[in-house]
Amino acid sequence: QVQLVESGGGLVQPGGSLILSCAASGSIFSLNAMGWHRQAPGKQRELVATINSGGRTDYADSVKGRSTISRDNARNTVYLRMNDLKPEDTAVYYCNALISVSAWNMPRDYWGQGTQVTVSS
């Protein structure tokens, strides 16, 4: 059983910063690409940032230049630091990870339960 647990969300003032964390636990044989997505009320879930096992990163245009995704492979954890937060960043943020549970299983996508980020004064 694999579990992803996010933390670090909350209420932030416009222009503020926060760091989201997502820890993967359970029967993990290999942890491949990891990422963050978000879903605002009434909108579709959208990709925010990804990082592969080699550390290569990619960002949505809406957060590029003010966000940093990173990972700690020893802790099976991915982080998302966001600066200069805007009201339009308000959303539930979800992490996902491509995980293999054994050498004989193809990697599959796992998701966390989400953490709310609200940007408001």
Side-chain angles (χ1 to χ4, degrees):
Q1 193 80 349
V2 173
Q3 195 173 21
L4 271 62
V5 178
E6 300 104 333
S7 60
L11 176 63
V12 185
Q13 290 192 339
S17 300
L18 59 70
I19 299 176
L20 302 178
S21 302
C22 173
S25 62
S27 301
I28 298 172
F29 175 75
S30 68
L31 185 56
N32 305 294
M34 305 182 80
W36 289 94
H37 294 67
R38 66 186 181 187
Q39 187 166 19
K43 294 188 177 182
Q44 288 190 332
R45 189 174 296 189
E46 63 175 0
L47 176 69
V48 177
T50 61
I51 183 167
N52 69 10
S53 56
R56 176 178 173 178
T57 60
D58 196 14
Y59 298 91
D61 288 342
S62 58
V63 303
K64 198 174 293 183
R66 58 189 184 93
S67 297
T68 303
I69 187 171
S70 60
R71 62 191 286 166
D72 183 338
N73 291 326
R75 298 175 186 268
N76 290 340
T77 299
V78 62
Y79 304 94
L80 180 69
R81 180 180 178 89
M82 298 185 70
N83 301 318
D84 189 24
L85 283 159
K86 309 174 189 301
E88 51 264 40
D89 293 316
T90 296
V92 177
Y93 284 70
Y94 299 90
C95 75
N96 76 303
L98 203 58
I99 294 172
S100 296
V101 297
S102 77
W104 300 274
N105 290 90
M106 293 294 291
R108 56 156 284 197
D109 214 7
Y110 291 85
W111 289 82
Q113 80 289 350
T115 185
Q116 176 70 46
V117 172
T118 301
V119 183
S120 175
S121 55

